[in-house]
Amino acid sequence: MLDVEVRDGTRMATVDFGGVVKEVCLEYLPDLKPGEYAIVHVGFALQKLDEESARRTLELFETLGLLQEEFGDPWEAAEAAGGEWPAQDGVGGEVRQ
């Protein structure tokens, strides 16, 4: 986790998804701490993961090309999707210090 702060009454964190950094809401996992891992969907941390599960999931996603699909160039992804913006989900994002 780079940073945890409360914005407009909502606990937020900067989370690293294997090199891609995103802002994530921590309201569903209020006890999540720096160095821990979580499944993230549409910007919300939903479930805590152990490190091994998170690393295996990221490796699998990378092998399948899903990391590039998920976090690649948004303009390229939008063009490939017929002009629609891709979803902003992630799995195994590490809450960094």
Side-chain angles (χ1 to χ4, degrees):
M1 176 177 337
L2 298 174
D3 186 30
V4 174
E5 62 182 302
V6 176
R7 285 187 231 142
D8 297 323
T10 303
R11 190 165 178 257
M12 300 291 293
T14 305
V15 178
D16 182 353
F17 295 93
V20 176
V21 177
K22 299 275 188 174
E23 293 297 309
V24 172
C25 177
L26 300 180
E27 289 298 303
Y28 296 132
L29 296 176
D31 297 331
L32 198 64
K33 298 178 189 101
E36 295 182 325
Y37 297 82
I39 293 175
V40 175
H41 180 66
V42 293
F44 290 86
L46 299 177
Q47 181 178 348
K48 187 175 170 180
L49 293 175
D50 63 80
E51 182 175 356
E52 180 60 26
S53 295
R55 291 192 188 281
R56 280 193 317 241
T57 301
L58 282 172
E59 288 170 8
L60 177 62
F61 274 34
E62 185 173 9
T63 300
L64 296 173
L66 296 174
L67 288 180
Q68 177 62 29
E69 181 181 317
E70 183 64 39
F71 297 117
D73 181 349
W75 293 107
E76 183 179 298
E79 184 176 318
E84 295 182 22
W85 283 93
Q88 297 292 317
D89 300 339
V91 174
E94 177 186 4
V95 180
R96 292 182 16 199
Q97 291 186 16

